[in-house]
Structures are given as C-alpha cells and as structure tokens.
Amino acid sequence: MNKAIIFDMDGTILNTIDDIRNSINHALTLMHMPTHDTEQVKMAVSSAARTFITRMVPQGTSDDDMEKTYQLFQNHYDQNNVVLTRPYEGIVALLGRLKDKGLKLAVVSNKYEYLVTDLNNQMFEGLFDAAVGVTDDLPIKPAPDMVHKALQMLGIKTDDAVYIGDSDIDCTTAHNSGLRMIGVTWGFRPEQTLIDHGAHEIVHTVDELETILDRRIALWQ
C-alpha cells in the first residue's frame, strides 16, 4: 500500500519528558537558576531546543547565560536521553501492525536529527521508513518543510498521508503541510489545545488511534 502515517516523536510515540526535565534542571542548577516541575517542562517542549531554553530560564537572562544554559542542557541530554524515555504503551505493537498492513511510517521531530535517528534505532528498531529531525538547512515545525521531506523520502503524495501528534505545533504543522491531523491526548498538551488548534480527530488511547487509522486505510483501498 503506497500510503503513509507521519508521527511526531515527543509526547506522541515516546514519553521523553522525564529525561528532558532532568537535563534542563541539571543545566539550570549549574547556572544557579530556578528549576521546573514536569508540567512546566511539558508546556515548554515542542519547539526548537534554543526556544525551549528561553522558556525555561528566568526573564531577563542575558544572551550569554542563555547560551551557557543551552550548552549545559544539550550536552547532558545527548548523554542521558534514554535513561527514562520509553515508547508509550501499545505504540510499538501498533507500529508493527501498521507495517504489516503495508503502510509506510515516518517520524518528524523538532529534536536534532542525530537524536531522532538514535532514538528511532534504539526504541523502534527500524519500524520507521524515514526519520526527520532538525538540520541547519530546513525550517522546523510548524513549517511544512520537514513533513514534505519525509513524504519525499517515502515517495508519498500529500493526499496519501495523515499526521499524528500531541501539540498545537503539530496541529499547525499538519495544516501547513496539507495533511489530515489526528491529535493524541496522552502527550504534552491538554485536549483543549488540540481542539483550539483544529485537530481533525482526537483520540485518548492507542486502541482508538488504531480504529481511526483502520477507517482511513479502508478509504484508501
């Protein structure tokens, strides 16, 4: 089947929040800045790493201290990104079933591409046919460029793919890319955020997601 499912990574297929929280709090502690709890970190994740840092440091932080915090965070996270990170329950089995049905799968994330590739290999062992992350030559989500790159890698047209994510950025990315958007509520944003930003469908469990995808597959056949 020449159709595709595009997945966001953080908060959609991987629960990465504990490792992200530990790394940012490690950096903030070394910089003698206030740390953040899990919910605060959740609401700051989804954008590029440096944007994430601007949301985590105190207002008025100098550019130099912001850069130092970023470097401390990124260096720690590079070495500690699979300590507590795990796929959400049922996701790996779902991906396997989608592959068995002949679908092509891609993950598109605002993490750096080396991290997306490493996490893909470690957590999903080749289930994804394409993995796209942040590089110097490509605008990040919610710009459509990363999704379009994934579709090009898969050889799939826009009409033959759907996008799955957990955040407002994912909703906007899907709309900008011309893809139907399925929002999941087990990630980093509340359901109301998905509603407010125009998710076409919203699911609360992996079973619900599979049911909706099966309906989409039936329409494609």
Side-chain angles (χ1 to χ4, degrees), residues 49-121:
R50 279 188 166 83
T51 303
F52 170 63
I53 296 301
T54 65
R55 296 172 176 173
M56 293 283 94
V57 299
Q59 189 173 3
T61 297
S62 69
D63 290 344
D64 184 55
D65 281 351
M66 202 173 299
E67 180 63 22
K68 288 177 183 176
T69 307
Y70 162 74
Q71 294 294 342
L72 288 167
F73 162 75
Q74 197 63 57
N75 290 338
H76 188 272
Y77 188 67
D78 283 350
Q79 300 300 317
N80 297 276
N81 58 71
V82 291
V83 177
L84 299 172
T85 289
R86 297 291 184 273
Y88 286 102
E89 185 175 354
I91 285 291
V92 172
L94 171 63
L95 296 174
R97 290 192 292 273
L98 294 173
K99 290 285 286 185
D100 289 343
K101 293 171 183 177
L103 291 159
K104 294 188 177 183
L105 306 179
V107 58
V108 177
S109 171
N110 275 348
K111 286 185 182 298
Y112 289 116
E113 189 151 277
Y114 67 87
L115 287 171
V116 176
T117 300
D118 287 348
L119 286 166
N120 179 31
N121 291 337

Side-chain angles (χ1 to χ4, degrees), residues 1 3 101 103 210-221:
M1 182 184 295
K3 313 291 181 181
K101 293 171 183 177
L103 291 159
E210 185 166 16
T211 297
I212 285 179
L213 290 176
D214 281 343
R215 290 174 188 158
R216 174 59 46 178
I217 293 167
L219 291 174
W220 278 333
Q221 291 175 336

